[in-house]
Amino acid sequence: MRKTHQCLGMLLVVAACLSATAGHARLIRTKAPASSTPPAPQNAPLPELKAQSAPAEARLLDVYKLIGSGQTRQALLKAEALVKDVPNFQLAQLVYADLLTAQARPLPSMGHAPDDLAAKAPQRLDQLRMEADRRLQALRDRPPQGALPTQFIEVPPTTKHAIAVDASRSRLYLFENGPNGLQLVADHYASIGRLGADKSFEGDQRTPLGVYYITSRLDAKKLTDFYGIGALPLNYPNEYDRRLGKTGGGIWLHGVPSDSYARSPNSTDGCVVLANPELQTILDRVQPRTTPVVIAKSLQWVTPTKAELQRRSLHNLIEGWRVARASGDLNRLMSFYSPQFASGTRDLNQWRQTLEKEVTQQRGRALQLKDVAILGWKDKSDILVVTFGEVADGQRTGAVKRQYWGKEGGLWKIFFEGVI
């Protein structure tokens, strides 16, 4: 009985925020007929969304769709089952409270609760409204069928997965690499920094924007409960970040405490945070060192066919560097490097000496690049992050290197190169 009273009390409070979105409010208030349900985009049918989403979110979106079609009784039953199965899913509790209130009396507006109740948790209610907005946006705005984020220019078959985060939509997209290239296999709601994206310095409570790689996997047993079921650290700041003078660190993909299901959209110190069940699907799949993670303010999508011309052009650029490197023509090779080149403590002149030694040791043997990955980034300038294995003829393996290229005077130049 005590638990029931606690639940009802909580529902009265969260009812104050049941204007989660204008669309949500309109659907409940008018009890629209089935014909008024917004059509799904042709390139992404709703059943596909359900299959791609984590079970709890898919069930919540099912409730929203039932509300939209006027099936409020069925929506109530599904919402009741959801909050029973996932009691710490606060947004689901919010929707359930809305439906309960609607059963008792007509709602002149959503969240029509006494002011004293609404005032008890105004900030949290605003956060839940925003979370509802972001989750519903994922229902409405699906990526074009077969399209990829523009940053994934070339991803080799040995890279089994890739991740892209759209900060403006609080959404993480997981891609799997197969015979037909990268394919979107799942997408999840994600929380980012309290003050948004575009991290500049340590402690600014922002999530970095850029192209990164997962560096390791941290087991939950070695972490506090705050990080949930585990964590995947990223290589922020990368070499481009350092070039811009950005500071800070400790940017991870991680979960939530065991007593929570999800965090509000802007609630972290800079990390990207997912519900534990959703993070688990990522932990089970991705590999450190080879998995790229793109974090963009707003992802732009392009089909592989439309991106092919750019891919070939940049592949030829990297091939030109390889030919110069393999030929031993040092002057030609150095033409690919920026005057502002730096690798650790070495400037361009010192790097030239390093390359001269490597060319001498190579002794004219042909050089091949294996598993080439080309990732693009564009903000203040155009950037390429190129990763490859460098293998000389007669050898089975070689060093794995990463280069950062930037546009200078309209030409691509390498401003960092190093062994991973």
Side-chain angles (χ1 to χ4, degrees), residues 144-225:
Q145 186 72 27
L148 299 173
T150 56
Q151 292 84 2
F152 296 140
I153 297 170
E154 182 166 352
V155 178
T158 51
T159 297
K160 298 302 182 183
H161 294 90
I163 291 172
V165 177
D166 189 318
S168 68
R169 287 178 168 80
S170 301
R171 205 75 189 169
L172 181 148
Y173 300 87
L174 177 65
F175 300 86
E176 191 167 275
N177 212 356
N180 298 318
L182 286 179
Q183 302 289 324
L184 178 63
V185 293
D187 60 279
H188 306 295
Y189 166 81
S191 304
I192 64 165
R194 288 182 177 85
L195 298 182
D198 202 4
K199 186 174 186 63
S200 295
F201 57 88
E202 185 173 4
D204 65 2
Q205 296 186 323
R206 293 180 180 272
T207 297
L209 298 175
V211 174
Y212 303 99
Y213 276 86
I214 294 172
T215 61
S216 59
R217 187 193 310 270
L218 302 180
D219 191 280
K221 296 177 181 178
K222 299 181 180 179
L223 302 171
T224 66
D225 183 59

Side-chain angles (χ1 to χ4, degrees), residues 50-108:
K50 180 177 179 180
Q52 291 177 350
S53 301
E57 182 179 63
R59 292 169 67 181
L60 177 65
L61 294 178
D62 276 345
V63 172
Y64 277 124
K65 286 182 280 184
L66 287 169
I67 292 171
S69 63
Q71 302 178 67
T72 54
R73 179 59 182 170
Q74 291 88 334
L76 176 62
L77 293 174
K78 283 184 174 290
E80 182 180 19
L82 176 56
V83 298
K84 180 180 179 180
D85 294 341
V86 192
N88 57 0
F89 194 175
Q90 293 187 2
L91 182 57
Q93 294 279 8
L94 180 153
V95 176
Y96 181 43
D98 190 2
L99 290 164
L100 283 175
T101 306
Q103 293 293 312
R105 57 182 172 82
L107 298 179

